[in-house]
Structures are given as C-alpha cells and as structure tokens.
Amino acid sequence: MGELETGRGLNQELCLARAADTHWGSHYKSFKNFISMFGSIIDVLDTIVVDARTLEERAKAKGYLSTCQTFEVAFMLHLMRDVLGITNKINTSLQKKEQDSANAILLVEVAKKQLQKLREEEWGLLVDKVSAFCVKYNISIPNFDDFYVNSGRSRRKVVDHTILHHYRVDIFFKIIDWKVQELNARFNEVTTKLLVGVACLNPVDSFSSFDINKILMMVELYPDDFDENIMVTLKNQLETYIVDIRDVDERFSNLQGLVDLSETLVKTKKHLNYPFVFRLVKFALLLPVVTATVERTFSAMKLIKSELRNRMNDEFMSGCLVPYV
C-alpha cells in the first residue's frame, strides 16, 4: 500500500469516513478517497481472500472484491463524487463560524447551474472517466447497446431497455434531478429571505451588505414578534441605526461579525436606543446553531447502495431554518 509518514495530524485526508461521521461533506470525501485508494483497497481485499483465517472472512472478502470490481460501482463512485463535489461548497459555507449567508444563497444558484450543465453536457465526459478507471483496474466495460439485466433478477426476465438507458436515465438523470429537487426544497423562498436578511445585518466590511428592504422582508417571517406598528418603528430605527454606527460612531468600525456587533451594541448601550434592531441581531445569532442542524439534515442522503433505494426527499430544512424565539 506504500509508505505513510507517522505523526499527529498526518494522512487524515486519505481515509474513509466512519459510519458515524454524518456531516454532508464526509460523504463527498468518502467517494473521493475511495477512488484515490481503490488500488490499495483491492490489494487488501485480495490479501484477505488469500490469508483469511475463517471461511466466513474469506467469503465476505470475495463478495466485497467481486462487487468493487464492477462497472456499476466505478460509475457510482465517479458520479457521486462529481455531484457531491458541486454541492460541497454550500456545505463548507454553512459550516463557517460566521456564515456568509448571501454567498451561501449565490452558491445554491451556482450549484443548480453546475448540476444542470453536468446533466446536459457532461455525460460523455463522465463515461470516459469511468472507462479509463475501469481499464486501469481491469474492470469489464459493458456494451451500452446490450439490454440491461438486473443482477438480482432471473436472466430470463430481461428488461426492455438498454444498458445505456439504465445508466444514463435511471441513474445519471435521476440522481442529478433528485439533488436539484432537494436544493429547491431546502432553499425555498422563505429560507432565502431569512439567509439574505441575516447577511444584511452582518457588520463585515463596514456594513457593506446592509439593505433595509431585505431586512424587512426577513422580519415579515416573524409576525408574532413584529406586528405592523413595530414594523414601522423598526424601519425608522434601521434608518437611524445605520447612519449612527456606520458613519458616526467609530466604535463600530472593523467589526468581524454578528457576535462582535451584539457585544458592541451592549457595551455602548445602543441596544437600548435600537431595541428592535437588537432583537433582530439576537435572532441572527441563532443561525449558526440552526445551520448546524441544517447541515446534518443534508446527511440524510445516505450513500447510494443498490437500485437507488435511498431517496433525497426529506423537507426538514424548510422548517428548521425558521427558529422559534
């Protein structure tokens, strides 16, 4: 398998995520590292087949080895690496200490366009990558014009579509379409208003993202906390607040995030001058906690096993992104 340096913190990027690692990004790393380590994995399984101490261990190793050395596994590894590689940027953004919510929303749109491009233009490129991988590891490449035979069914019951249809329509298109549907469900209009509104409160770069209209659109999500009278007062407070802290009071310069903003508002007692604005800042500070839950919901999409039995259709994010305070 080659020599590895020993020492604290080394070799951590070239390992497979444990089953308990439920972060969305861990799935992407698993597929990526499985491809990188494929030769070593095959060698280990081969060694176990030869040196297994029990018949059970040998049988399991043979089964894993036989499964790994199939075109379907190679195809799924490369497809899932490409799909999760596109959406992994969103995951990384959501895990930042100070979420750049505006950029997170932009990344969602970028991811949708990349997934659409993958669906419409990159089928051939994917097949070429998988084929090269199969040639490298002596894996048989099927004739795409042959009829597809489900390995779990009798060969007498041949389905009426080709291997090309199976991989392109039943797997490639379906997985990409499910992923786009999941992004649409989890980043719907309500979620987008919330994330953009929070981004507008962020003091980074001298409150460059501040936008009263977008903040008020977010506030509309909390009718129990901000009635019509409060909304009028809040708009007036926001207009005065931004002039005060951005153009007049130097104590609010060079703030690094919402935590700094909240602390400075209290230290300067301006939270008493702008109570409704301060309430919004407190709401915004809940977002890192909420998005930690959101990030875990992405991992509801388990690793694809066989016949695409795992579906990405939970709608938990839409509810959990609107906190009850």
Side-chain angles (χ1 to χ4, degrees), residues 5 78 84 89 101 129 133 146 148 179 181 183 187 197 237 245 255 261 265 283:
E5 290 185 58
H78 285 79
L84 294 181
K89 295 175 183 177
S101 303
K129 287 191 294 186
F133 180 85
D146 290 345
Y148 174 72
K179 199 60 185 173
Q181 289 171 13
L183 289 174
F187 291 91
Q237 282 190 13
I245 64 175
L255 297 182
L261 175 61
L265 284 170
F283 279 8

Side-chain angles (χ1 to χ4, degrees), residues 14 23-24 33 55 76 82 101 160 173 194 196 258 324:
L14 287 178
H23 286 299
W24 189 31
N33 292 339
L55 291 176
M76 293 303 300
D82 290 353
S101 303
D160 59 354
F173 286 166
L194 176 61
V196 170
L258 291 170
Y324 294 93

Side-chain angles (χ1 to χ4, degrees), residues 253-322:
S253 60
N254 300 318
L255 297 182
Q256 298 304 308
L258 291 170
V259 174
D260 286 353
L261 175 61
S262 177
E263 291 177 351
T264 307
L265 284 170
V266 173
K267 287 179 182 177
T268 59
K269 299 187 184 304
K270 289 187 184 291
H271 69 297
L272 301 176
N273 296 339
Y274 311 108
F276 296 128
V277 176
F278 186 61
R279 183 185 297 181
L280 277 182
V281 173
K282 289 190 292 183
F283 279 8
L285 286 171
L286 290 175
L287 189 60
V289 178
V290 174
T291 50
T293 304
V294 170
E295 194 277 330
R296 286 195 296 272
T297 69
F298 273 110
S299 66
M301 188 203 73
K302 304 298 182 183
L303 303 184
I304 299 296
K305 291 183 286 191
S306 61
E307 296 304 309
L308 309 180
R309 283 178 289 179
N310 288 328
R311 305 253 178 155
M312 300 178 289
N313 57 2
D314 55 294
E315 300 175 353
F316 181 57
M317 178 175 175
S318 297
C320 75
L321 259 181
V322 182

Side-chain angles (χ1 to χ4, degrees), residues 45 216 238:
L45 290 173
L216 292 176
L238 286 169

Side-chain angles (χ1 to χ4, degrees), residues 157-183:
K157 298 179 180 179
V158 179
V159 293
D160 59 354
H161 60 255
T162 63
I163 291 175
L164 173 62
H165 181 280
H166 170 69
Y167 282 106
R168 188 173 189 183
V169 178
D170 294 343
I171 297 180
F172 182 73
F173 286 166
K174 277 189 178 179
I175 287 180
I176 294 175
D177 290 346
W178 284 342
K179 199 60 185 173
V180 171
Q181 289 171 13
E182 187 178 35
L183 289 174

Side-chain angles (χ1 to χ4, degrees), residues 32-87:
K32 183 178 66 172
N33 292 339
F34 199 105
I35 292 171
S36 299
M37 300 168 62
F38 190 83
S40 298
I41 292 171
I42 296 300
D43 289 342
V44 169
L45 290 173
D46 224 355
T47 301
I48 295 175
V49 170
V50 175
D51 299 334
R53 290 175 294 180
T54 66
L55 291 176
E56 183 181 2
E57 287 182 0
R58 181 173 287 110
K60 285 184 177 180
K62 281 185 177 180
Y64 294 145
L65 186 60
S66 176
T67 300
C68 285
Q69 293 177 308
T70 61
F71 181 85
E72 185 161 6
V73 166
F75 183 84
M76 293 303 300
L77 285 173
H78 285 79
L79 173 58
M80 294 310 300
R81 181 194 62 180
D82 290 353
V83 170
L84 294 181
I86 290 172
T87 53

